[in-house]
Amino acid sequence: MSNPYDLARSILQKISCTLSATGSLMITSQVLRKKANRVKLQQRILLAISFCDFCTSTVWVFTDLFMPPRGNQRTCDAQGFIIQFGNTSNMMLMVALQVQYLLIIKYGWSETKMKKLEPFLLILPFCFGTSTATAALSLKLFNPANWDCWIAPYPDECTSSYEISHGNSDLEVTDCVRGDNARIFQWAFFFALLWAVAVFCIFVMIMITKSVEKAERKSASFSVNANRPNRPTQTTRRHSIQALNADGRLTLTDVNVIQRRTGRIELVLTTRVKMQCILYALGFFVVWGFPTIARMIQLFGGTIHPILLPLSGFFVGSQGLWNAMIYFRPKYSTLLEDHWWQKLWRLIKLNLLFCFEYDGEERNDDGGEENDHVSSSIARSFLTRAGASKWSFFQLIGHGENSDDTLRSDVQAGESCRSDNICHDVEQ
């Protein structure tokens, strides 16, 4: 490996793939160890994405063992199958994740309704990845391709039967030993899907952003109207107060307070979910950005700069790293350690070295099922009295990232209570 760009690519890719596999393991641990996460479709999609990324990152770390001369054709086929299966399944699962966010944020679907789509959102991506990988294996398309074994012609400069049939060569029969028409299958099995997924993610981000902006405008309008003095008729006021105070219930003033606070909390949570959705999509763009640039340059007949090789090798193997940073971002902001490296080490211990943690300490820090139940009960009680009919929305966006704890702090902090009954219920 005398080429410095190849050497840089090999080193950077092993580093990014190792970090990516670690991040995927952390997400897997967080999802599997908490029942509240395992029952959520969004968490199971992220679990599936982490599984696919862990598979591809692992074979990329040991790519030298799969490729000739240290490996053979069988090991090359094995690596090509895993990479094709993992990457295509990962892209389809990213579509499923974006669809899930879109249905929850824009259309207000509940967890029960979302479960009806689970076979399509979870099973179809794996079926698609398995089918393309199996087809490529049967067509003998997996061969050494730059830094790994994937869909490529062998020898690299051989003439495909498609080129011969279109009169682009004097040959009558292809001289490709393996991987005939591999360039076409690269587009059919991978790059067309990659670009379609990128366009779809952009579309979903636009839809969600517009939906949240619309909700913000409604919330602002409601806040203005809520701050105006109410002028109900004397009869309406008398009957309303009698109905509310008969059992010591809330007064009209209390209802207005709760409505304003409920709208604020719902808007804050919706904005947070929107940010998570956008960040997952941006992470996908960062990972596949440089390979896409290289492919577009090649498509238009340009010369690919050598620097794109190490950049592509580094970012293409970092999907799990980006997913982990996005996934644990809310939890990271709630940790009490002073320095960033202490917070990072805390997250690693809680998700990878949890066997060495005391149960009480882990449960206290990681927001175990008991704490989630308490905080969920607090928020549920508050929102029920506020007249919120879609508590399932708040359950769905838990993210496994201690959003319940954040919700509880949002309810309790920063506002003076106009009703002692409300304050008492929140503190419980």
Side-chain angles (χ1 to χ4, degrees), residues 209-351:
T209 300
K210 288 185 176 181
S211 177
V212 174
E213 289 177 351
K214 183 178 179 180
E216 289 174 347
R217 289 193 296 268
K218 287 185 178 180
S219 178
S221 176
F222 176 80
S223 298
V224 172
N225 294 331
N227 289 329
R228 295 175 181 175
N230 295 323
R231 299 183 182 275
T233 63
Q234 183 176 0
T235 303
T236 303
R237 184 187 302 111
R238 183 174 65 253
H239 287 301
S240 299
I241 293 177
Q242 288 176 354
L244 289 171
N245 289 337
D247 299 324
R249 295 180 181 178
L250 302 177
T251 64
L252 285 174
T253 303
D254 297 330
V255 171
N256 291 334
V257 172
I258 294 177
Q259 287 176 342
R260 288 197 296 271
R261 298 169 81 188
T262 304
R264 182 183 66 84
I265 294 170
E266 182 174 359
L267 183 59
V268 168
L269 292 178
T270 305
T271 304
R272 288 175 181 171
V273 178
K274 179 200 75 171
M275 182 56 62
Q276 290 293 101
C277 172
I278 293 176
L279 288 176
Y280 281 123
L282 291 179
F284 179 82
F285 294 149
V286 170
V287 168
W288 294 106
F290 288 105
T292 300
I293 293 174
R295 181 58 60 182
M296 291 182 65
I297 293 175
Q298 187 180 53
L299 181 64
F300 290 101
T303 302
I304 299 177
H305 194 280
I307 193 63
L308 284 177
L309 182 64
L311 289 176
S312 300
F314 175 81
F315 283 100
V316 79
S318 63
Q319 181 73 71
L321 175 62
W322 292 100
N323 289 343
M325 289 192 295
I326 298 168
Y327 184 90
F328 291 104
R329 183 179 65 94
K331 172 64 178 175
Y332 177 88
S333 62
T334 64
L335 294 178
L336 301 178
E337 284 75 7
D338 296 329
H339 304 287
W340 67 267
W341 57 269
Q342 292 176 325
K343 294 183 178 181
L344 179 61
W345 176 241
R346 188 63 186 164
L347 287 175
I348 294 175
K349 287 201 299 180
L350 289 174
N351 292 281

Side-chain angles (χ1 to χ4, degrees), residues 413-428:
E415 293 186 3
S416 59
C417 298
R418 295 192 183 185
S419 170
D420 294 337
N421 292 331
I422 300 176
C423 293
H424 179 68
D425 290 338
V426 173
E427 290 173 357
Q428 286 180 342

Side-chain angles (χ1 to χ4, degrees), residues 143-144 152-160 174-179 182-183:
N143 301 292
Y154 182 79
D156 186 58
E157 299 298 331
C158 67
T159 303
S160 67
T174 177
D175 57 347
C176 293
V177 179
R178 293 173 56 89
R183 306 299 182 190

Side-chain angles (χ1 to χ4, degrees), residues 29-271:
S29 171
Q30 179 75 359
V31 175
L32 293 180
R33 289 171 54 234
K34 296 184 67 176
K35 182 179 179 181
N37 291 340
R38 294 195 301 269
V39 299
K40 296 175 184 176
L41 175 60
Q42 183 255 4
Q43 293 291 301
R44 291 195 291 271
I45 294 176
L46 286 172
L47 177 63
I49 291 176
S50 300
F51 168 75
C52 294
D53 176 76
F54 181 80
C55 293
T56 54
S57 298
T58 302
V59 297
W60 269 328
V61 170
F62 301 102
T63 188
D64 296 335
L65 301 179
F66 291 94
M67 294 180 65
R70 300 183 67 177
N72 52 39
Q73 187 58 53
R74 290 184 178 181
T75 59
C76 189
D77 286 340
Q79 185 188 40
F81 186 93
I82 294 174
I83 291 174
Q84 176 64 20
F85 163 78
N87 285 334
T88 52
S89 299
N90 203 333
M91 287 187 288
M92 294 296 292
L93 287 167
M94 181 59 65
V95 172
L97 184 66
Q98 296 296 313
V99 168
Q100 191 258 356
Y101 275 122
L102 180 64
L103 293 178
I104 288 179
I105 296 177
K106 182 173 176 60
Y107 298 103
W109 279 37
S110 64
E111 179 73 9
T112 303
K113 195 174 182 179
M114 287 296 304
K115 285 184 177 179
K116 297 179 181 179
L117 294 179
E118 185 168 357
F120 302 97
L121 298 181
L122 276 179
I123 298 177
L124 283 183
F126 286 110
C127 293
F128 183 84
T130 303
S131 61
T132 58
T134 303
L137 181 64
S138 62
L139 293 173
K140 300 180 180 180
L141 297 177
F142 294 135
N143 301 292
N146 294 328
W147 64 73
D148 60 0
C149 287
W150 189 54
I151 301 175
Y154 182 79
D156 186 58
E157 299 298 331
C158 67
T159 303
S160 67
S161 58
Y162 177 83
E163 294 174 320
I164 296 174
S165 64
H166 284 71
N168 297 331
S169 175
D170 297 332
L171 297 176
E172 296 182 357
V173 181
T174 177
D175 57 347
C176 293
V177 179
R178 293 173 56 89
D180 185 26
N181 297 320
R183 306 299 182 190
I184 298 176
F185 286 108
Q186 285 180 352
W187 282 95
F189 288 170
F190 187 79
F191 285 107
L193 175 64
L194 174 63
W195 291 11
V197 171
V199 172
F200 180 79
C201 289
I202 294 174
F203 170 76
V204 171
M205 286 193 296
I206 294 174
M207 293 279 289
I208 290 178
T209 300
K210 288 185 176 181
S211 177
V212 174
E213 289 177 351
K214 183 178 179 180
E216 289 174 347
R217 289 193 296 268
K218 287 185 178 180
S219 178
S221 176
F222 176 80
S223 298
V224 172
N225 294 331
N227 289 329
R228 295 175 181 175
N230 295 323
R231 299 183 182 275
T233 63
Q234 183 176 0
T235 303
T236 303
R237 184 187 302 111
R238 183 174 65 253
H239 287 301
S240 299
I241 293 177
Q242 288 176 354
L244 289 171
N245 289 337
D247 299 324
R249 295 180 181 178
L250 302 177
T251 64
L252 285 174
T253 303
D254 297 330
V255 171
N256 291 334
V257 172
I258 294 177
Q259 287 176 342
R260 288 197 296 271
R261 298 169 81 188
T262 304
R264 182 183 66 84
I265 294 170
E266 182 174 359
L267 183 59
V268 168
L269 292 178
T270 305
T271 304

